[in-house]
Amino acid sequence: MKPLTAVILTCFCGLMSCSSPSGDEPAEKRPDLAEYLDSAGKEDELSGGARQIKISTPKGDFKVWTKRVGNNPTMKVLLLHGGPGGTHEAFECFDSYFPEEGIEYYYYDQLGSHYSDQPQDTSLWNIDRFVEEVEQVRAALQLNKENFYLLGHSWGGILAMEYALKYQDKLKGLIISNMMSSVPAYNKYAQEVLGPQMAPAVLAEVKQLEADNDFSNPRYMELLLPNFYTKHALRMPVEQWPDPVMRMFNHMNQTIYVQMQGPSEFGISGNASLKNWDRSADLEKITVPTLTIGATHDTMDPKHMEWMATQLPEGSYLNCPKGSHMAMYDDQKTYFKGLVSFIKAVDQGGKL
């Protein structure tokens, strides 16, 4: 963790240096709840916070879906979902934590996802265009450097880093959740660390299915669910996976996912457009307060995400010792205690 200013140290350092806070202490309730819940005069008052935002692209205008929860003039968090091609639904657990802390937040389906328009032109699925989409959403929501926190999970973490490298003058704080800054490093970790953790016979069969390009074979998921997903994606028996997670997977846009991420679950390879993405050398250019979040059992290397925090001028790291790639579910208390602490620390002191 980077040295903290005195004003931040008291409220932040203790929480972030402890990898497994007990979570027993009652949350401090926001005293002005009526103000937090007041939507009077808001553009989205009629729809309970939901609105469609028009965005312009090289292939025409489309609409993307967002939904605001709460009001806070200095803490507004835009949530970038994973995938690519995932949905806002994976973030629905935030409803259990952010409102009682008085944090305003925005669900958002990126173009091509769930409630947003789903054009068929595959030229739209590239990082630069997604960055411009986020900037148009930010402007429409009237978020600015006095209040705008951007949180990206997984693919959303890539998008958040890219956005910050171009538009960090609009940001108050950045959260990179469960995403490394290098896809080649991620691939190396998947092949050399995660794969060998599987039983040799299972790994051999998975590798053969991948070599045969037989990803649609039901056997592929039959092997991965108990031997990989429940160990590194979400550490619960599949039958216990939360409803928002199941809905997110059911609504995944596979066209976008395969084009950018590829069909394999062991890294990003083949013709996937993200396979050579690497911003590790550029992390030092992101000067806004930034929190990286990793988990001990993540598909992403937690040591790499801890290292990322040392490369960011105002970086700090939160580890979720019981968590995996979706640590907001399988190490939820640690995840949200650290996340809320970071947001409030930046709000009180301005920077780390």
Side-chain angles (χ1 to χ4, degrees):
M1 182 187 298
K2 293 288 183 180
L4 305 179
T5 58
V7 70
I8 302 263
L9 184 60
T10 301
C11 62
F12 184 67
C13 184
L15 290 176
M16 299 302 290
S17 62
C18 178
S19 62
S20 56
S22 67
D24 294 333
E25 304 85 354
E28 181 181 348
K29 303 296 182 181
R30 179 179 171 88
D32 51 344
L33 185 62
E35 180 181 341
Y36 179 77
L37 297 175
D38 185 10
S39 293
K42 296 282 186 179
E43 184 175 345
D44 54 27
E45 176 183 2
L46 182 65
S47 58
R51 59 182 290 200
Q52 295 277 354
I53 293 173
K54 186 176 79 170
I55 59 164
S56 298
T57 79
K59 297 305 175 74
D61 293 344
F62 301 98
K63 290 183 178 179
V64 296
W65 178 90
T66 67
K67 181 174 181 178
R68 175 187 55 82
V69 180
N71 297 285
N72 189 305
T74 63
M75 295 186 291
K76 303 175 186 287
V77 183
L78 180 64
L79 303 172
L80 301 182
H81 61 69
T87 81
H88 75 279
E89 292 158 299
F91 288 125
E92 288 181 8
C93 58
F94 282 57
D95 288 348
S96 296
Y97 294 88
F98 273 12
E100 71 178 12
E101 301 292 347
I103 298 171
E104 180 178 330
Y105 56 111
Y106 291 82
Y107 293 122
Y108 159 36
D109 281 338
Q110 298 155 29
L111 186 65
S113 294
H114 201 26
Y115 290 153
S116 295
D117 286 347
Q118 299 187 22
Q120 301 302 306
D121 191 326
T122 58
S123 68
L124 292 166
W125 315 135
N126 65 82
I127 290 176
D128 291 342
R129 195 213 56 78
F130 274 113
V131 168
E132 295 310 312
E133 175 184 320
V134 174
E135 171 59 9
Q136 291 179 67
V137 169
R138 179 208 63 80
L141 296 175
Q142 298 182 336
L143 310 177
N144 58 60
K145 64 182 179 181
E146 303 301 321
N147 54 41
F148 177 31
Y149 296 80
L150 185 64
L151 185 155
H153 176 259
S154 194
W155 144 252
I158 292 179
L159 183 53
M161 283 181 260
E162 290 287 345
Y163 179 88
L165 286 166
K166 186 170 184 179
Y167 291 112
Q168 64 181 308
D169 61 315
K170 308 294 196 305
L171 284 171
K172 183 173 184 176
L174 177 68
I175 301 101
I176 304 166
S177 176
N178 307 88
M179 187 64 225
M180 297 165 64
S181 58
S182 167
V183 167
Y186 161 50
N187 286 342
K188 180 178 174 66
Y189 185 70
Q191 296 296 326
E192 297 183 1
V193 178
L194 297 182
Q197 292 181 19
M198 300 172 71
V202 172
L203 180 60
E205 188 174 355
V206 169
K207 291 291 188 182
Q208 187 60 56
L209 288 165
E210 292 196 343
D212 295 339
N213 200 34
D214 197 10
F215 295 99
S216 61
N217 189 324
R219 181 63 176 163
Y220 188 63
M221 292 308 298
E222 287 175 10
L223 292 168
L224 289 180
L225 280 172
N227 294 289
F228 186 75
Y229 275 92
T230 58
K231 297 181 184 297
H232 301 293
L234 179 53
R235 291 175 65 82
M236 301 177 187
V238 174
E239 60 272 16
Q240 295 179 20
W241 280 13
D243 174 71
V245 175
M246 299 304 293
R247 284 188 278 112
M248 182 273 293
F249 279 119
N250 288 336
H251 296 144
M252 179 81 69
N253 187 322
Q254 292 294 332
T255 298
I256 303 175
Y257 184 87
V258 172
Q259 178 176 322
M260 299 185 73
Q261 153 81 29
S264 173
E265 295 305 319
F266 285 95
I268 298 176
S269 57
N271 294 323
S273 61
L274 292 174
K275 70 176 181 179
N276 296 317
W277 181 85
D278 190 337
R279 283 293 202 168
S280 294
D282 296 317
L283 292 175
E284 64 182 16
K285 300 175 184 177
I286 300 176
T287 59
V288 297
T290 302
L291 174 66
T292 64
I293 303 177
T296 299
H297 307 284
D298 206 335
T299 55
M300 303 287 166
D301 182 0
K303 291 299 183 182
H304 180 99
M305 290 177 282
E306 184 176 13
W307 169 84
M308 287 167 59
T310 70
Q311 304 305 296
L312 295 154
E314 295 288 345
S316 54
Y317 176 65
L318 169 68
N319 185 59
C320 299
K322 299 178 182 178
S324 64
H325 195 54
M326 301 196 74
M328 70 277 284
Y329 285 97
D330 53 21
D331 200 354
Q332 194 168 83
K333 298 295 185 183
T334 303
Y335 186 97
F336 280 101
K337 190 168 187 178
L339 173 58
V340 169
S341 178
F342 170 78
I343 293 171
K344 289 191 169 184
V346 174
D347 186 56
Q348 292 176 28
K351 59 187 297 186
L352 300 183

